[in-house]
Amino acid sequence: MTALFVTSCGDPSGDDANAPDDELVLADSFEPEGFNPIGGHGEDGSSKIYDGLLRLTADADGTPALEPALAADMPEVNDDATEWTVRLRDDVRFHDDSRFDADDVVATFEAVLDPEYASPLATAYAMLDEVEKVDEHTVRFHLASPYAAFDTRMLLGIAPEEALDDPVPVEESALNTEPIGTGPYELAEWRRGEQVVLEANDDYWGGAPEVRRLTVAIAPDDNTRAQRMQAGDFDGAWLPPKLAETFDEVDGVDVVTYPSADWRGVTMPSGHPVTGDRDIREALNLAVDRESMIDAVLAGYGVPAYTPIPEVFGEYHDPGAVFEHDPEAARRLLDEAGWTEGDDGVREKDGVRAEFTLMYFPDETIRRDLGQAFVSDARGIGIEVSLEAVDRTEFRPRIPDDAGMLGGGEFPFDPDPQVYTALHSQYADYDETNPFLNPSAYRNDAVDDALDRGRNSVDDERRVESYREVQQEYVDDPAYVMLAFLDHTYVMRDRGWAGMRPIVEPHAHGVSWGPWWNVADWHADDE
């Protein structure tokens, strides 16, 4: 497990530079679509407004763990993990001063499952058959099949029953702009396109936060965030690695890196005559120079990715499931498969030219630069790739036909949510409401079987065996050209606070994560 590390530690200037102010001003590249937990806000445990039944904590080396939040203690689980009983705290109030109880839990999870709410989370909770109110402070989850990782689904923020009475689609819910949670912060202001302001909840059941106010400026342009950080406008920001490195020698500013399960890779749509060819997929996995990409594009902040399961998953990770960088072997493979090189150096087979389009989001410089490196490596073995910047709305319907530079790794708390929807064939048919599920339309019976065994087993050794089998099968028949797992890079000004703790991060990044993921626990550094 990789731990957090600080790559620069400048000396703060000024006599009171280490005296904490009770407000932090941060900058983020992303603006939330809304603050409705049924719509997906904070489902990974990152919300400052809502609490889940469980919440994130971290071991000393950054390994994520779960602990009770709105639950009074950890869930009681039956032998086959189909019933999860949770006792609830009896001392919690929502921001509107209403009391929290079992009805709120039932209403929240039922809304996720109810088609009338059109929750994008419904697929993730497909194993949930019923949530039962046992008494005012006890709920029981009944699952349709064993699911060892259901505790990760209890990070979902709980909303008050009254706010969910009207079953409208999530995008029409008042919770998007007027959230009512039990969390350590309340939404004080949201000026769209400009900033979000959170203020401390003085009546928080876990104790009022010492950081009293969080202002998050919305600054999509990477260079703008860096320049304004240099100018002293912000106390912290997420920055791409190369820009973060420019702060190495800046006094009073630290460059902080968190490891992640956040991958970048190229989808290989199975319906395309080129990307759907197994030999093409294997050859590209042999041809790409992952180490060079990490050095050149990520400034060294990352590790090679060969399958969707990273080293940070410990024993679940199979260190032998790799693709060696061997362009010559890639060329031999294509030669033997009948992909012959034409006069222009591009291969062809049965009248099909070895070429395809690779899409990326135009505002994502890391994806663009990785894409450029991929294009070069592919050309080196006779495959022509055209890189195209595509807006997100246009990108989605093109997923079945064109390759995409995508990312993933939403839940680094268990291997099941990391890989199940990315690889299982039940998600291979394109779903316009969830277009990023299994975007390569990958179908592999052996992988399906191992994924199901890992999901349904409650035995740790059997689960390790299952996920290692997934990786072994995957390298024989890859669904993507995985490139790298990113280390997320942040810059933060020294304001005299203590209490930061490293944690392995998911695909999501920005200032909801980084050093600020546990900002409600920060305290003044008295040293």
Side-chain angles (χ1 to χ4, degrees):
M1 182 70 67
T2 308
L4 167 149
F5 59 95
V6 176
T7 55
S8 75
C9 296
D11 294 327
S13 59
D15 294 337
D16 62 349
N18 282 324
D21 192 326
D22 63 4
E23 176 178 1
L24 291 176
V25 179
L26 310 175
D28 212 337
S29 59
F30 303 102
E31 181 170 27
E33 294 181 3
F35 296 95
N36 183 356
I38 311 305
H41 167 72
E43 66 161 325
D44 54 11
S46 61
S47 177
K48 310 293 187 289
I49 296 174
Y50 294 91
D51 294 310
L53 297 177
L54 302 181
R55 66 181 176 185
L56 290 172
T57 185
D59 296 338
D61 64 356
T63 304
L66 302 177
E67 66 181 10
L70 296 180
D73 40 38
M74 293 300 288
E76 295 178 9
V77 189
N78 70 347
D79 290 343
D80 66 355
T82 58
E83 287 188 0
W84 297 66
T85 303
V86 184
R87 291 194 315 109
L88 307 176
R89 299 182 64 101
D90 61 4
D91 59 346
V92 177
R93 289 186 177 275
F94 287 97
H95 297 154
D96 64 359
D97 204 37
S98 61
R99 294 192 66 86
F100 160 76
D101 60 25
D103 290 324
D104 305 305
V105 178
V106 171
T108 296
F109 283 89
E110 286 187 344
V112 169
L113 298 178
D114 188 341
E116 290 194 69
Y117 292 85
S119 171
L121 304 182
T123 299
Y125 290 83
M127 77 295 293
L128 179 57
D129 190 43
E130 177 191 6
V131 54
E132 171 194 3
K133 175 183 176 181
V134 177
D135 59 42
E136 187 176 3
H137 296 294
T138 310
V139 295
R140 181 171 296 126
F141 297 90
H142 300 271
L143 309 189
S145 58
Y147 184 44
F150 190 69
D151 53 354
T152 66
R153 298 303 175 187
M154 296 186 192
L155 292 168
L156 179 68
I158 303 301
E161 177 190 22
E162 295 77 12
L164 299 169
D165 278 345
D166 186 12
V168 298
V170 289
E171 63 269 17
E172 300 175 19
S173 171
L175 290 174
N176 290 315
T177 54
E178 300 174 5
I180 306 170
T182 62
Y185 291 93
E186 303 179 50
L187 179 64
E189 180 184 51
W190 182 12
R191 297 207 303 266
R192 289 186 182 271
E194 297 182 26
Q195 67 178 24
V196 173
V197 180
L198 304 179
E199 291 185 347
N201 174 10
D202 288 330
D203 298 320
Y204 184 51
W205 59 268
E210 290 188 31
V211 176
R212 305 293 300 160
R213 185 178 174 94
L214 286 172
T215 298
V216 180
I218 310 303
D221 183 74
D222 297 337
N223 289 309
T224 297
R225 290 198 311 285
Q227 291 164 5
R228 293 188 62 188
M229 185 75 196
Q230 289 272 13
D233 292 347
F234 304 135
D235 297 309
W238 169 80
L239 288 175
K242 286 187 175 181
L243 278 175
E245 271 197 328
T246 64
F247 287 82
D248 277 347
E249 304 302 325
V250 176
D251 287 346
V253 176
D254 293 336
V255 179
V256 183
T257 302
Y258 276 44
S260 82
D262 179 16
W263 56 261
R264 294 293 178 274
V266 177
T267 65
M268 296 274 107
S270 62
H272 190 284
V274 177
T275 59
D277 185 287
R278 183 169 177 167
D279 295 312
I280 291 282
R281 297 198 305 267
E282 183 176 350
L284 285 168
N285 271 285
L286 292 169
V288 293
D289 190 345
R290 295 170 173 85
E291 294 283 3
S292 292
M293 290 182 183
I294 291 167
D295 289 342
V297 177
L298 303 180
Y301 293 111
V303 296
Y306 308 101
T307 80
I309 296 183
E311 187 178 353
V312 295
F313 273 73
E315 60 185 348
Y316 291 109
H317 171 72
D318 184 351
V322 300
F323 295 96
E324 299 296 338
H325 176 226
D326 194 341
E328 187 55 42
R331 295 186 194 99
R332 288 196 304 270
L333 171 64
L334 293 175
D335 288 341
E336 293 167 4
W339 287 95
T340 58
E341 208 168 282
D343 294 339
D344 61 355
V346 178
R347 294 177 182 270
E348 184 177 296
K349 179 180 179 180
D350 299 332
V352 176
R353 185 175 164 87
E355 61 182 359
F356 60 90
T357 297
L358 172 59
M359 305 181 293
Y360 72 94
F361 301 140
D363 57 342
E364 294 269 0
T365 57
I366 290 177
R367 299 191 196 206
R368 179 200 64 199
D369 295 347
L370 286 172
Q372 290 172 344
F374 177 83
V375 168
S376 176
D377 288 345
R379 194 64 172 81
I381 62 169
I383 299 174
E384 185 163 358
V385 181
S386 301
L387 193 62
E388 181 183 353
V390 179
D391 183 79
R392 283 169 169 78
T393 55
E394 182 187 349
F395 192 113
R396 293 173 179 237
R398 289 176 57 179
I399 285 174
D401 304 311
D402 292 317
M405 180 66 72
L406 290 185
E410 281 76 8
F411 273 76
F413 322 127
D414 186 274
D416 174 86
Q418 177 82 6
V419 296
Y420 197 86
T421 59
L423 297 178
H424 201 287
S425 65
Q426 72 170 286
Y427 304 105
D429 292 332
Y430 179 76
D431 180 353
E432 63 180 11
T433 62
N434 289 288
F436 297 108
L437 301 180
N438 192 349
S440 292
Y442 180 68
R443 300 179 189 272
N444 183 308
D445 290 343
V447 169
D448 283 355
D449 182 62
L451 287 171
D452 288 333
R453 280 187 278 110
R455 165 168 281 202
N456 297 330
S457 176
V458 294
D459 180 81
D460 286 341
E461 289 186 7
R462 183 171 171 80
R463 298 192 78 217
V464 168
E465 177 185 312
S466 298
Y467 290 113
R468 288 196 167 210
E469 184 177 336
V470 168
Q471 294 162 83
Q472 292 156 12
E473 293 288 345
Y474 178 93
V475 294
D476 287 336
D477 179 21
Y480 308 81
V481 182
M482 302 291 291
L483 300 176
F485 291 104
L486 278 58
D487 292 335
H488 293 163
T489 47
Y490 305 90
V491 290
M492 62 180 298
R493 204 170 302 281
D494 186 348
R495 288 291 187 244
W497 292 99
M500 300 94 171
R501 299 173 64 187
I503 193 169
V504 174
E505 296 188 349
H507 169 62
H509 47 283
V511 297
S512 291
W513 288 93
W516 308 281
W517 75 273
N518 69 331
V519 67
D521 298 329
W522 286 15
H523 55 85
D525 187 353
D526 298 325
E527 294 183 3

